[in-house]
Amino acid sequence: MKRNMIKLGDVATYINGYAFKPEDRGEVGLPIIRIQDLTGNAYDLGFYNGDYPKRIEINDGDVLISWSASLGVYVWNRGRALLNQHIFKVQFDKVNIDKSYFVYAVRQKLAEMAMKTHGATMKHIVKKDFEETLIPYPSLKKQIEIGTNLDKIDNIIVARKQQLELLDELVKARFVEMFGTLHDNENGFDIVTIEDVCSLIKDGTHQTPQYTEDKKEGYKFLSSKDVISQKVDWTNIKYIPAELHEKLYATIKPQRNDILMSKNGVNYGVAAVNDTDEVFDIYVSLALLRPKKIIDPVFLKCVINNPETKWQFDSSIKGIGVPNLHLGEIKKTRMFLPPIELQNQFADFVRAIDKSKVAIKKSLDETQILFDSLMQKYFG
């Protein structure tokens, strides 16, 4: 059955924001909303207290589309504000279309739009190309039905993600409750360095390897991208040939309960426990820390992921460009060392939380699959 299609340009009017200058930004007035504020990566927000075109004012419920750097569609819900450049405000003034339906239709087309972006330094989509993009256009009744169904599933996905975040916060709160802070050390624990509690601290190969598509004969090869969730993520790992593996494995053999810590890139300082007996090799972007018997691996992982440790890492980063933690800086990082019984008690708590997270993550993945299949069904 052939579906009725409509161009985005025939659906609504797209109002671009205003190019606020640095000197326009102050500390009072209406907040100036940029793409960073929509994606959650905001910094130096800025406020404006002068005259402005009424068209760039946004309020709760407005649909916004970022068309430069990071393509995305959002429903604004943080009060009255002003729109910076590179963001469209959608004005539904041409046809009858359900707002939720429109948002999901545009979201499904973002990958297609990304293929039409221009620019060398800041990728952006030309407004004409955006407006020429086609979306299905069923009856208003059908739009509302589709939007309602997707809203229900999307709300479940959001709730599951919030559950995972709350469990992470619970672990952090329990850590402080049991051990306090390094700054105050109110419990009088011994202060040691990471080197004091590890028998081995070493990073992976410094040479970019030649990868292989042969997963049967090749060997798993991990880098910093595989530990950014504070768990070893085996889903999208790369493989290296057996000959290279033998060479690397002769130098460093990862073991169960080793700590794998990212030391390069924007996510430097994130640590995970290797809780498997997998045979694998690591790249220079990962450091391997082997805990001594005086420290529980789960406790050490949480110490490394603690904000106080991150502050120490931040002060160790020198120069500009890609952040890089040197092994020497990692080794001298300070931490407290509680009695092993207390460490084990905390580790048991973390493992119980992790079991709950596994169940929630399974439900989240299943719900996401359902959502993706419906998006494909409705919008192609």
Side-chain angles (χ1 to χ4, degrees), residues 88-260:
F88 293 140
K89 178 176 73 172
V90 183
Q91 184 172 302
F92 296 101
D93 57 356
K94 294 185 178 181
V95 298
N96 285 328
I97 190 164
D98 179 70
K99 185 189 296 183
S100 289
Y101 177 86
F102 173 86
V103 169
Y104 291 120
V106 174
R107 188 194 296 188
Q108 184 68 4
K109 292 295 180 178
L110 290 177
E112 177 185 321
M113 293 179 195
M115 298 176 66
K116 300 177 182 178
T117 54
H118 302 263
T121 55
M122 182 176 287
K123 294 289 185 179
H124 63 277
I125 187 167
V126 175
K127 189 176 183 182
K128 181 177 180 295
D129 289 339
F130 174 86
E131 293 182 332
E132 289 292 318
T133 301
L134 291 168
I135 63 170
Y137 186 58
S139 67
L140 183 59
K141 180 181 178 181
K142 185 65 176 177
Q143 293 175 32
I144 294 172
E145 176 188 327
I146 291 172
T148 301
N149 289 340
L150 290 174
D151 277 342
K152 290 178 181 177
I153 301 173
D154 197 39
N155 287 338
I156 294 173
I157 292 173
V158 171
R160 294 290 181 268
K161 290 180 178 179
Q162 289 175 339
Q163 284 178 300
L164 292 173
E165 291 174 359
L166 287 173
L167 287 175
D168 287 338
E169 291 302 317
L170 182 59
V171 169
K172 293 177 183 177
R174 183 63 171 159
F175 183 92
V176 174
E177 179 186 353
M178 291 184 65
F179 307 113
T181 64
L182 179 64
H183 179 266
D184 295 325
N185 193 19
E186 49 265 51
N187 296 302
F189 296 133
D190 291 339
I191 302 298
V192 297
T193 65
I194 288 180
E195 184 176 28
D196 292 330
V197 299
C198 293
S199 60
L200 177 68
I201 298 178
K202 197 169 185 178
D203 55 13
T205 177
H206 288 227
Q207 295 183 346
T208 303
Q210 181 179 355
Y211 300 111
T212 178
E213 298 296 326
D214 189 347
K215 297 182 179 180
K216 186 176 181 181
E217 297 296 329
Y219 285 83
K220 295 173 180 176
F221 186 79
L222 272 60
S223 64
S224 59
K225 70 176 180 60
D226 302 310
V227 301
I228 58 175
S229 63
Q230 299 186 19
K231 294 280 288 183
V232 179
D233 185 354
W234 301 95
T235 54
N236 294 303
I237 58 174
K238 295 183 178 180
Y239 287 76
I240 58 174
E243 182 180 355
L244 177 57
H245 159 72
E246 292 172 3
K247 179 181 177 182
L248 299 180
Y249 209 64
T251 302
I252 181 169
K253 297 181 177 67
Q255 301 175 5
R256 177 184 285 270
N257 289 328
D258 283 345
I259 304 294
L260 300 175

Side-chain angles (χ1 to χ4, degrees), residues 178-179 294 296 338-348:
M178 291 184 65
F179 307 113
I294 59 174
D296 184 286
I340 190 66
E341 296 80 14
L342 203 58
Q343 297 179 40
N344 293 340
Q345 181 183 338
F346 173 75
D348 289 341

Side-chain angles (χ1 to χ4, degrees), residues 2 32-33 36 49 74 110 126 159 162 164 181 202 215 223 233 235 241 246 309 329 351 353 367 370:
K2 188 175 181 180
I32 299 170
I33 304 307
Q36 294 96 320
N49 198 32
Y74 311 87
L110 290 177
V126 175
Q162 289 175 339
L164 292 173
T181 64
K202 197 169 185 178
K215 297 182 179 180
S223 64
D233 185 354
T235 54
E246 292 172 3
T309 304
E329 301 295 338
R351 292 186 186 99
I353 294 295
T367 308
L370 173 61

